[in-house]
Amino acid sequence: MKKLINILLISFLMISFCFSTKTKTNKDNDHINNSLLNLIVDSNKFNVYPVGGECGSNVSFSCNNMVDALKYANTLTNVDQIGFLLMDGIYDFTNNSIQVFGRGIGIASFNQGSVNVIFKGGNQNNNGIPLITIDESINSVSGNGGGIRTDVSFYDITFQDFTSPIINIIVNITEVNVDIDGCKFNNFSSNVQNVSMISVSTNVTKSYPVYITLSNSLFTGPNSNNNNNNNNNNNNNNNNNNNNNSSNISIISLSATTLKMQKLNISNIFATSFISSINSYITISNSDIYSTSTQYGVFRNQDTTFKSYDTIFTNCNSSISGGVLTSSTTTNDNNNFIFQGCQFINSNSFNGGSIYASNTGPFQPTLSNINSCSFSGNYASNSGGVIYSVNTPLTINNNTQFITSNTAKNGGGLFYVINTTLTIQSSSLSSNNSNTQCDGYLVNTQGSNVFITNNTIGFMDGPPAISCTSSFVNISGIIFMDKISQISVTCNKCNMPGYCNNVDSTGTTSFPTSSSQSSTTGGSATGGSSGSTSGKQPLTVSSSTTTTTGSTSGSSYLKSFNLFSILLTLSIFIIHN
């Protein structure tokens, strides 16, 4: 009997411990348990009710628009979430534009899976007024925002031939969560009212008060014959002609926002960029982006972390920089980009056919990475057929393939790097256009450190593969795919162990006739004798070992473990006695 009592006491202690831990975990989700009001809206009805009068309780007596539905909801107490269930029909912006703050709203089709709920046109009475406005400046908010959060969701809604924004967010101390799933955005024109389709404005610089999810959705602009270019290398001026119809506004404009995108189809975009961002965190995965015509690429990021997974970019053309991405760092040292498992096909720009990256800030950006990607048919009408990088460290590895015809008119058929550390390893660099006369059809490096390690290379005859100016270049473990045993290298005051041994030399040399070359010595391209090196001083290569020690002092995990140990000790003591 005494043993049974001891066992029951142990069980009670353990259950109490687990329950208290669970309760503490769920306290952060108390806001989910709010009251929900669903209202049916039908644009085809002309029901009669007073301003703020009841409507939307059933199909026969639905609200005529979302404005009327919200007015009715505002007369009720304890309503924190409103569901607008839209019957099939055409909805205008004028009678459905609403302001939301500190509550949750959802806009969805009443008939689940319907594609016939369509918002069309623009706001005729108030040009530029969005469908949804979230603006904390017109609400009484003080201090740290008091935990106020606004939630907006769109499900299975079509936006067709529209000029007004869908959502405009202005916040600093409150939080906003937007979820868009299964929607279609067809033929949005940003240059009619000079506004973005989705806009976030905030003065926050060290956090992300806005969280947006875009999934399973379609974005398409007007069809155009100006964007059909399948052979960029045979038309050196194509990127200058593809942007005549592009808008001066980005389709989506973000500040201090976490944006997560997955399973999107984006095409026929004519704008400054599809997304422009400042101080944000962006991810995209499993998406297809093609036939875009921009000035700064599909993504124009400033001080933003950007990650792309398993996404295909085809015919992404820009007139200024980066057909796919223009990334700039000005103040934030955490800015970097990652591409993994992506394909870049037939994209072009003036500088950086696919990617343009620059750092003008006081910090060295976090290392950017390109892993397991492929590049083919990308072109720059000036320099950097694939990548143009200024003071932005970059590593390319894990069987990334530069397949064919990645070229530039002037310099760097694949890479054009200035004051940059570039590492290319365990990748394949093959058969780029032999007709190009660019200076360095593999790499053009100026004032940089370049490491080309354990790669498979197959080149055709042509101009120098590597053009090196005031740089350190280390080449090791190269395997040639064809019978070509020598590739020319242009050295201009460079340190390239095994190739350009005299940093004061200027001229052309070749790879050794062996199929591989190893060099493990580090160095600095400081330019030989005093005053002999012109231009920027190159970087200095040095190695260091960093040991990171972890600490669990004060962590919730350790506290929980200590409490559990105390209970277990007490239990053993009870059993023993």
Side-chain angles (χ1 to χ4, degrees), residues 193-510:
Q193 297 183 9
N194 209 34
V195 292
S196 297
M197 184 179 74
I198 298 174
S199 177
V200 178
S201 300
T202 177
N203 294 324
V204 176
T205 58
K206 294 297 183 181
S207 62
Y208 310 121
V210 179
Y211 189 98
I212 299 176
T213 301
L214 300 175
S215 55
N216 305 303
S217 295
L218 171 77
F219 296 82
T220 182
N223 292 322
S224 173
N225 293 325
N226 293 330
N227 214 28
N228 296 327
N229 173 42
N230 295 318
N231 191 346
N232 299 310
N233 301 309
N234 293 330
N235 185 359
N236 293 352
N237 296 318
N238 59 353
N239 62 301
N240 295 321
N241 297 326
N242 283 337
N243 296 278
N244 295 332
N245 294 332
S246 64
S247 165
N248 291 324
I249 301 295
S250 297
I251 303 300
I252 299 175
S253 179
L254 306 176
S255 176
T257 299
T258 297
L259 172 64
K260 181 180 179 180
M261 299 172 285
Q262 57 185 357
K263 297 182 180 179
L264 301 183
N265 187 294
I266 302 168
S267 66
N268 294 320
I269 300 299
F270 297 87
T272 294
S273 59
F274 177 65
I275 294 176
S276 65
S277 67
I278 298 176
N279 183 40
S280 295
Y281 191 101
I282 298 174
T283 62
I284 183 170
S285 62
N286 302 107
S287 296
D288 194 358
I289 302 174
Y290 55 96
S291 299
T292 63
S293 188
T294 63
Q295 294 173 320
Y296 296 96
V298 179
F299 304 98
R300 184 187 187 186
N301 299 337
Q302 177 181 321
D303 300 324
T304 291
T305 294
F306 176 83
K307 299 181 180 181
S308 176
Y309 304 98
D310 302 311
T311 293
I312 302 174
F313 303 94
T314 307
N315 291 330
C316 297
N317 307 314
S318 72
S319 60
I320 297 176
S321 60
V324 172
L325 171 68
T326 293
S327 176
S328 62
T329 299
T330 61
T331 58
N332 188 349
D333 58 338
N334 290 324
N335 174 42
N336 72 328
F337 60 85
I338 294 174
F339 289 95
Q340 182 167 316
C342 297
Q343 299 179 46
F344 300 78
I345 306 168
N346 295 340
S347 294
N348 72 63
S349 183
F350 180 71
N351 282 325
S354 292
I355 299 168
Y356 178 96
S358 68
N359 172 34
T360 59
F363 303 105
Q364 183 80 344
T366 304
L367 180 68
S368 294
N369 290 275
I370 297 175
N371 302 316
S372 305
C373 294
S374 65
F375 296 84
S376 63
N378 300 284
Y379 173 76
S381 59
N382 186 38
S383 299
V386 173
I387 296 172
Y388 189 112
S389 176
V390 181
N391 195 25
T392 304
L394 173 64
T395 294
I396 296 165
N397 57 18
N398 292 342
N399 197 32
T400 292
Q401 299 183 37
F402 299 87
I403 300 173
T404 184
S405 299
N406 296 292
T407 65
K409 182 178 181 180
N410 294 322
L414 295 184
F415 310 100
Y416 191 93
V417 293
I418 302 173
N419 199 29
T420 291
T421 297
L422 171 66
T423 301
I424 309 169
Q425 59 188 16
S426 304
S427 295
S428 176
L429 317 171
S430 63
S431 299
N432 290 280
N433 193 338
S434 62
N435 295 323
T436 182
Q437 296 303 309
C438 71
D439 188 11
Y441 68 93
L442 172 59
V443 179
N444 186 307
T445 170
Q446 301 181 30
S448 299
N449 292 304
V450 178
F451 302 87
I452 303 174
T453 307
N454 298 328
N455 295 285
T456 301
I457 297 179
F459 287 109
M460 300 171 68
D461 291 328
I466 299 175
S467 177
C468 175
T469 301
S470 302
S471 298
F472 171 77
V473 179
N474 189 350
I475 302 174
S476 62
I478 297 301
I479 299 175
F480 292 105
M481 291 192 301
D482 48 35
K483 296 180 180 179
I484 297 176
S485 58
Q486 291 187 345
I487 300 173
S488 60
V489 177
T490 298
C491 293
N492 182 10
K493 300 180 175 62
C494 280
N495 182 357
M496 188 183 300
Y499 306 98
C500 304
N501 294 318
N502 184 354
V503 296
D504 289 325
S505 67
T506 299
T508 300
T509 185
S510 298

Side-chain angles (χ1 to χ4, degrees), residues 93 97 121-123 126-133 154 159 162-169 188-190 193-199 251:
F93 280 65
S97 295
N123 198 311
N126 300 289
N127 290 337
I129 299 299
L131 182 66
I132 306 294
T133 297
F154 292 91
F159 296 87
F162 59 106
T163 59
S164 287
I166 292 175
I167 186 166
N168 185 35
I169 302 170
F188 170 67
S189 180
S190 60
Q193 297 183 9
N194 209 34
V195 292
S196 297
M197 184 179 74
I198 298 174
S199 177
I251 303 300

Side-chain angles (χ1 to χ4, degrees), residues 1 22 29 31 64 89 108 118 130 137 170 194 228 256 271 362-363 367 530:
M1 184 65 180
K22 180 71 172 178
N29 295 324
H31 66 273
N64 299 329
I118 302 172
S137 66
I170 304 173
N194 209 34
N228 296 327
F363 303 105
L367 180 68
S530 176

